[in-house]
């Protein structure tokens, strides 16, 4: 039978995956094409009868110029050689040359070093040591294609094994192709393939990434009945973790109880950790502690994660002392804490404000050989800022840098915000400069806080400088920054400039919110231009911004101050018609407007309505002073005193304005000095009996300013209470703090 010519171009165009070396499947396909022309539709050419069998020098596989020419020989030869390629045994009939023709005894399949020795004609037939596929020598890992698995069985005796299906499951799970996964599983069932648990775990993780916990539970339930795959604690934990990560904590506990009670799966340490985490999320800390105590009966030892989970749950449940005791128990049991363990406790103590114990815990951390990390320092700095200990926070920041830890933007932002809350925005600017020296670029929220703080401190020029610096550094202002800048300009009585900034804000694509417009309205009302304020209100309504309680409160307050009570009443009714609940400012403004207009009874009715409202609308000292002043002006002092007693019962302490209102009323009587002393002295005693010592001391301060003297017994009670050791130390600390500031 004559041999034929088969071009390399045709060989490469077949449905094979390029690879760096010849695989079993590739060699089998190649020799099948040579020995059986019916397997391919490639062009066949007759070779000349006297041509020698040769291969062009240095052939490049994948190049169309390469032809393998095979000379015709006599068909009478019965010489055959069997070459085992993988799982396929292929007979290749070759002509009888001489004894020099032989196949290497143990060819390394898949290796480029495989040689087949041919008779010494012109050239020996052999594979190139390092074939260049597509003239590219770089190794390429081509993804598995399902087309290969569909077509491969048609090419010969190749059969798909169970590992083939595992590869498909792995591929589809990583890509999230759940439809194809179901098709693969259906085929595995039809062909009664062996299913391994590892395949299902891959699918469970894919369901977790796709936030499909119920699908994971459904597949877990099908594992035994449909796929005859034994479930172990590994697949159980995988599904349980998917449910917990999805935030379905009740569902996780139900799944845990159902599986443990109805199967032979024994939970391990990870199972208990997930269950305790779920219980702590549900604030079932006591039940989590019970599960923790049951672990030894299941032959499970708690690990660091177990203790950290419980400590975090106890701290969030405001049970810091129990969490610290658990730390000691942990070390007694031979489980040594890690930095995360201490971070959990330090965070809990800082949120509670117990910085002294947090500092001791930090020292204990060093003694145990645990080095504080960025989280430790950030937590302590945040705690110090919450307590107003900014100098210590800055000192700890320097220590953090000296220990080669890099503070984050959040760390710097926390300190800057702490300075601003204390009215020290200039110190916050210094922290900003130090932050920039370290290579950190402040975000828009830091700039917003600085701009707002500087305006509140009456430093508009510095605020404008910060604004300009932010623009120069390429930080794009957002709605929060623009709103802070507009509010600051309005506080300075410059609403027209603020209006220009608002126009620029809209041009830059930032949408102003209700707060932005409220600031602008307050600015116009402050300068006495109520018409422009009303125009801003109408502009806000036409732009589609929803007007909330604060917007109505600002408008009503401004209209009442401007004497436009009728317009204010219209807005009041409109607000109630929309179902909005007025806040304390809106109530106080309306009561003040009605009382100034002589409608004291109507104002009193509105005040009583205010008392019946929720906590957000309860009257404050300003509202009480408004109605008390109105009642005293119309000589209804007895009703005013009754309202003062209500004020005390509601937990609202009178201030200097309250005292002066009654002193002014008593001044109209003959013995003003005596009546004023008795009235305020009784007020001090009422506050003392209610354990409101601060309020009582303020009343005494007002008495002394008006040359009125409390009784000696009252003096003794207040001084004894104020001079308790803790309060004295607190007063001393405040004095030192004021000196440093």
């Amino acid at each position: 039978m004559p041999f034929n010519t088969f071009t390399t171009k045709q060989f490469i165009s077949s449905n094979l995956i390029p690879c760096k070396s010849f695989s079993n499947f590739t060699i089998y396909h190649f020799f099948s094409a040579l020995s059986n022309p019916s397997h391919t539709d490639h062009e066949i050419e007759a070779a000349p009868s006297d041509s020698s069998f040769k291969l062009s020098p240095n052939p490049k596989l994948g190049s169309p110029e390469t032809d393998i020419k095979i000379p015709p020989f006599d068909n009478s030869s019965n010489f055959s050689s069997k070459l085992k390629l993988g799982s396929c045994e292929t007979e290749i009939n070759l002509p009888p040359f001489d004894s020099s023709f032989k196949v290497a005894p143990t060819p390394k399949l898949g290796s480029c070093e495989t040689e087949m020795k041919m008779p010494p004609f012109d050239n020996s037939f052999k594979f190139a040591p390092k074939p260049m596929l597509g003239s590219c020598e770089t190794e390429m890992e081509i993804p598995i294609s399902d087309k290969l698995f569909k077509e491969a069985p048609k090419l010969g005796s190749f059969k798909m094994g169970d590992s083939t299906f595992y590869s498909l499951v792995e591929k589809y799970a990583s890509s999230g192709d759940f439809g194809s996964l179901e098709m693969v599983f259906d085929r595995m069932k039809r062909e009664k393939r062996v299913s391994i648990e590892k395949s299902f775990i891959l699918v469970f993780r894919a369901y977790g990434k796709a936030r499909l916990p119920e699908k994971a539970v459904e597949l877990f339930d099908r594992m035994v009945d449909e796929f005859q795959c034994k479930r172990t604690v590994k697949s159980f934990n995988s599904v349980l973790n998917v449910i917990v990560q999805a935030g379905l904590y009740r569902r996780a506990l139900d799944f845990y109880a159902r599986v443990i009670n109805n199967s032979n799966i024994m939970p391990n340490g990870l199972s208990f950790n997930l269950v305790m985490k779920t219980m702590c999320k549900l604030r079932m800390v006591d039940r989590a502690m019970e599960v923790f105590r049951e672990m030894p009966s299941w032959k499970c030892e708690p690990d660091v994660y177990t203790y950290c989970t419980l400590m975090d749950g106890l701290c969030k449940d405001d049970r810091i002392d129990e969490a610290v005791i658990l730390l000691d128990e942990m070390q007694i049991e031979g489980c040594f804490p890690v930095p995360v363990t201490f971070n959990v406790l330090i965070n809990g103590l800082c949120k509670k404000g117990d910085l002294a114990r947090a500092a001791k815990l930090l020292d204990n951390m060093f003694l145990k050989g645990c080095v504080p990390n960025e989280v430790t320092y950030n937590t302590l700095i945040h705690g110090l800022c919450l307590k107003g200990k900014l100098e210590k926070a800055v000192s700890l920041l320097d220590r953090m840098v000296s220990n080669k830890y890099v503070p984050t933007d959040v760390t710097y932002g926390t300190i800057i915000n702490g300075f601003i809350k204390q009215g020290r925005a200039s110190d916050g600017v210094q922290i900003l400069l130090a932050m920039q020296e370290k290579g950190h670029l402040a975000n828009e929220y830091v700039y917003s806080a600085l701009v707002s703080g500087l305006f509140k401190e009456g430093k508009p020029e510095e605020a404008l400088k910060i604004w300009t610096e932010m623009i120069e550094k390429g930080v794009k202002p957002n709605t929060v920054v623009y709103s802070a800048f507009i509010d600051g300009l309005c506080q300075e009585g410059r609403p027209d400039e603020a209006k220009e900034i608002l126009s620029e804000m809209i041009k830059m694509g930032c949408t102003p919110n209700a707060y932005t417009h409220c600031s602008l309205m307050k600015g116009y009302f402050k300068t006495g231009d109520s018409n422009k304020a009303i125009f801003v209100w109408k502009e806000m309504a036409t732009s589609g911004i929803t007007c909330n309680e604060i917007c109505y409160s600002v408008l009503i307050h401004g209209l009442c101050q401007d004497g436009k009570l009728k317009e204010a009443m219209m807005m009041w009714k409109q607000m109630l018609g929309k179902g909005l609940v007025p806040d304390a400012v809106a109530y106080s403004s309306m009561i003040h407007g009605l009382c100034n207009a002589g409608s004291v009874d109507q104002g009193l009715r509105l005040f009583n309505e205010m008392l019946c409202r929720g906590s957000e609308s309860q009257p404050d000292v300003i509202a009480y002073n408004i109605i008390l002043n109105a009642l005293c002006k119309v000589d209804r002092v007895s009703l005013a005193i009754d309202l003062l007693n209500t004020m005390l019962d509601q937990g609202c302490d009178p201030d200097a304005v309250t005292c002066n209102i009654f002193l002014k009323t008593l001044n109209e009587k003959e013995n003003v000095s005596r009546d004023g002393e008795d009235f305020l002295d009784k007020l001090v005693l009422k506050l003392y009996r209610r354990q409101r010592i601060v309020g009582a001391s303020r009343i005494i301060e007002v008495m002394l300013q008006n040359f009125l003297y409390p009784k000696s017994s009252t003096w003794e009670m207040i001084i004894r209470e104020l001079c308790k050791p803790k309060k004295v130390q607190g007063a001393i600390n405040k004095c030192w703090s004021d000196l440093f500031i």
Side-chain angles (χ1 to χ4, degrees):
M1 182 179 82
F3 278 73
N4 306 289
T5 301
F6 185 72
T7 63
T8 308
K9 179 179 180 180
Q10 296 165 338
F11 174 71
I12 294 300
S13 65
S14 60
N15 294 328
L16 291 176
I17 299 175
C19 58
K20 187 174 180 181
S21 59
F22 288 102
S23 65
N24 299 348
F25 183 82
T26 307
I27 298 174
Y28 164 67
H29 194 182
F30 176 74
F31 281 107
S32 296
L34 290 177
S35 60
N36 191 357
S38 64
H39 285 181
T40 180
D41 296 329
H42 298 303
E43 182 181 357
I44 302 174
E45 295 181 3
S49 58
D50 58 347
S51 298
S52 59
F53 179 76
K54 62 182 181 178
L55 178 66
S56 58
N58 298 324
K60 294 184 179 180
L61 296 178
S63 174
E65 292 84 12
T66 306
D67 284 349
I68 302 175
K69 296 185 178 182
I70 305 173
F73 293 98
D74 188 9
N75 295 339
S76 61
S77 174
N78 294 323
F79 179 84
S80 66
S81 175
K82 289 188 179 181
L83 177 63
K84 290 188 179 181
L85 302 176
S87 60
C88 307
E89 295 186 0
T90 306
E91 286 195 5
I92 306 175
N93 294 322
L94 297 174
F97 299 114
D98 55 18
S99 59
S100 63
F101 177 84
K102 58 183 179 179
V103 180
T106 310
K108 297 180 180 179
L109 298 178
S111 170
C112 295
E113 298 177 359
T114 306
E115 293 190 358
M116 299 182 69
K117 297 183 180 179
M118 304 297 291
F121 295 104
D122 293 337
N123 290 318
S124 298
F125 176 72
K126 63 180 180 179
F127 293 115
K130 292 183 179 180
M132 300 172 65
L133 300 177
S135 60
C136 177
E137 298 182 5
T138 307
E139 182 176 359
M140 298 175 60
E141 186 177 346
I142 307 300
I144 299 173
S145 172
D146 56 344
K147 184 178 179 182
L148 172 66
F149 297 115
K150 293 177 182 177
E151 296 183 356
K154 302 176 184 177
L155 299 176
S157 59
F158 174 78
K159 295 180 68 176
M160 285 191 287
D162 298 325
S163 60
T164 306
F165 286 98
Y166 175 77
S167 300
L168 283 175
V169 170
E170 184 179 17
K171 172 195 169 185
Y172 291 134
S174 62
S175 62
D177 189 353
F178 300 113
S180 299
L181 273 174
E182 284 296 329
M183 292 174 63
V184 172
F185 281 135
D186 289 341
R187 184 170 178 181
M188 291 174 69
K189 285 192 297 183
R190 289 196 309 269
E191 298 183 6
K192 297 182 179 180
R193 294 287 179 172
V194 176
S195 301
I196 57 175
E197 188 182 31
K198 186 165 63 171
S199 301
F200 289 97
I201 292 175
L202 292 175
V203 180
F204 295 148
R205 291 173 182 170
Y207 279 133
K209 290 180 181 178
R211 309 289 289 182
L212 297 170
E214 292 301 330
K215 287 285 186 181
V217 174
E218 179 186 344
L219 183 61
F220 179 81
D221 293 336
R222 294 165 54 196
M223 282 178 65
V224 176
D225 296 335
E226 294 188 24
F227 301 98
Q228 289 74 48
C229 180
K230 182 181 178 182
R231 300 178 305 191
T232 68
V233 72
K234 292 182 181 179
S235 55
F236 168 65
N237 287 340
S238 181
V239 177
L240 183 61
N241 185 56
V242 167
I243 303 172
V244 173
Q245 292 300 322
L248 303 176
Y249 303 122
R250 296 284 182 186
R251 182 75 175 88
L253 293 180
D254 293 341
F255 175 75
Y256 175 84
R258 177 172 67 85
V259 174
I260 297 301
N261 294 331
N262 299 324
S263 68
N264 57 355
I265 295 178
M266 295 286 289
N268 59 9
L270 177 57
S271 311
F272 283 108
N273 289 341
L274 290 170
V275 169
M276 283 184 279
K277 177 183 177 180
T278 302
M279 291 176 174
C280 288
K281 290 286 186 182
L282 293 171
R283 296 298 179 91
M284 300 166 57
V285 183
D286 291 329
R287 183 70 187 100
M289 289 297 296
E290 291 176 7
V291 173
F292 169 70
R293 300 302 178 193
E294 293 171 1
M295 285 183 70
S297 63
W298 292 87
K299 298 180 180 180
C300 292
E301 294 294 331
D303 55 12
V304 174
Y305 183 85
T306 312
Y307 286 102
C308 288
T309 301
L310 290 173
M311 289 176 189
D312 184 59
L314 290 168
C315 290
K316 288 178 179 176
D317 204 33
D318 198 21
R319 296 159 65 176
I320 309 292
D321 295 333
E322 295 180 53
V324 175
I325 292 172
L326 201 61
L327 174 66
D328 297 333
E329 179 183 334
M330 171 185 182
Q331 297 173 78
I332 292 172
E333 294 295 329
C335 186
F336 297 100
V338 295
V340 176
T341 315
F342 288 99
N343 290 344
V344 168
L345 294 175
I346 290 172
N347 182 52
L349 290 169
C350 288
K351 285 183 177 179
K352 192 179 179 181
D354 196 348
L355 296 178
R357 291 179 70 185
K360 290 180 180 178
L361 202 60
L362 182 65
D363 295 336
N364 189 19
M365 185 176 182
F366 280 109
L367 291 174
K368 298 298 179 183
C370 290
V371 180
N373 54 23
E374 290 90 341
V375 177
T376 315
Y377 283 109
N378 288 335
T379 303
L380 286 169
I381 289 171
H382 183 68
L384 290 168
C385 290
L386 287 177
K387 295 292 288 184
K389 299 180 181 295
L390 298 172
E391 282 72 19
K392 289 187 177 180
V394 174
S395 175
L396 191 61
L397 178 66
D398 295 336
R399 180 177 170 185
M400 179 181 182
V401 174
S402 64
N403 287 335
K404 308 300 182 183
Y405 289 111
V406 180
T408 63
D409 297 342
V410 176
T411 312
Y412 284 109
T414 301
I415 297 177
I416 290 172
N417 193 48
F419 277 117
I420 292 169
K421 285 183 177 178
Q422 284 195 0
R424 301 168 61 183
S426 298
D427 292 331
V429 173
Q430 297 301 317
I431 298 296
L432 174 65
L433 296 176
M435 176 181 178
Q436 292 170 346
E437 289 176 1
K438 298 293 183 182
H440 291 272
L441 182 64
N443 57 25
E444 57 270 23
Y445 297 102
V446 172
Y447 281 109
S448 171
L450 284 172
V451 168
S452 179
L454 289 169
F455 271 121
K456 287 179 181 177
E457 293 177 22
K459 300 173 182 177
E461 299 305 322
E462 291 187 34
L464 289 171
K465 184 179 178 181
I466 291 293
W467 174 268
T468 306
E469 178 188 317
M470 178 186 67
I471 300 298
E472 290 175 351
K473 289 188 176 295
V475 178
K476 186 179 179 181
N478 59 9
T479 302
V480 176
V481 186
Y482 272 117
S483 299
F485 192 48
I486 290 170
D487 184 64
L489 289 172
C490 290
Q491 288 177 18
E492 289 295 311
R494 298 156 69 175
D496 291 328
E497 294 180 44
K499 180 67 175 176
E500 293 177 4
I501 297 296
L502 177 62
S503 301
E504 177 190 327
M505 174 183 179
I506 296 172
K507 289 179 182 177
M508 295 297 293
C510 283
T511 305
N513 54 22
Y515 175 78
T516 315
H517 287 90
C518 286
S519 299
L520 198 56
M521 281 195 296
K522 283 191 289 186
Y524 281 122
F525 276 127
K526 187 175 182 178
T527 56
D529 199 343
S530 59
N531 292 328
K532 286 187 178 180
I534 294 171
F535 178 77
V536 172
W537 170 268
K538 293 179 179 178
E539 191 179 54
M540 178 173 59
T542 54
S543 61
I545 298 174
T546 304
C547 301
N548 54 22
E549 296 91 339
I550 298 174
C551 300
Y552 278 102
S553 178
V554 170
L555 184 61
I556 291 169
H557 179 71
L559 291 171
C560 289
Q561 277 189 332
D562 203 36
K564 297 181 178 180
L565 183 61
K566 184 178 179 181
E567 290 84 351
M569 285 296 296
M570 288 175 60
M571 300 311 300
W572 178 269
K573 291 177 181 178
Q574 186 184 106
M575 177 175 58
L576 295 177
K578 289 185 176 181
L580 300 175
V581 179
D583 59 6
V585 176
Y587 269 112
S588 299
S589 301
M590 284 303 303
I591 293 169
H592 189 249
L594 290 169
C595 291
N596 284 345
S599 303
V600 178
D601 290 333
Q602 194 173 352
L604 188 59
R605 282 196 296 270
L606 204 59
F607 183 84
N608 290 329
E609 179 186 319
M610 190 179 182
L611 286 171
C612 298
R613 289 284 188 179
S615 58
E616 294 182 359
S617 299
Q618 284 297 304
D620 54 8
V621 67
I622 297 173
Y624 276 107
N625 288 340
I626 290 170
I627 195 68
L628 289 173
N629 185 50
L631 290 171
C632 289
K633 279 184 177 181
V634 295
D635 200 23
R636 298 167 70 175
V637 181
S638 59
L639 183 57
I641 292 175
D642 291 340
L643 200 59
L644 178 63
N645 289 326
T646 303
M647 178 181 181
L648 297 175
D649 293 337
Q650 293 292 327
C652 184
D653 291 346
D655 60 1
V657 176
T658 316
C659 297
N660 289 327
I661 288 171
F662 283 98
L663 287 177
K664 184 179 179 181
T665 304
L666 294 172
N667 193 26
E668 299 173 1
K669 297 185 178 182
E670 294 181 359
N671 193 3
V672 59
S673 177
R674 190 63 182 169
D675 289 342
E677 280 185 1
D678 290 342
F679 178 79
L680 294 181
D681 192 85
K682 290 178 181 178
L683 187 58
V684 170
L685 290 175
K686 288 182 179 180
L687 289 169
Y688 176 80
R689 291 190 186 103
R690 289 174 170 83
Q691 292 298 312
R692 281 143 61 181
I693 308 303
V694 176
S697 62
R698 287 173 183 167
I699 304 300
I700 291 180
E701 188 176 346
V702 173
M703 293 177 69
L704 295 175
Q705 289 172 354
N706 288 276
F707 302 102
L708 303 174
Y709 302 100
K711 294 177 181 179
S712 58
S713 58
T714 307
W715 265 112
E716 184 181 356
M717 287 188 297
I718 298 301
I719 295 299
R720 187 187 299 116
E721 189 68 29
L722 289 173
C723 291
K724 285 184 176 179
K726 288 185 178 180
K727 294 185 178 180
V728 171
Q729 187 61 46
I732 293 172
N733 292 339
K734 187 177 184 304
C735 290
W736 280 111
S737 178
D738 293 340
L739 287 173
F740 280 118
I741 292 173

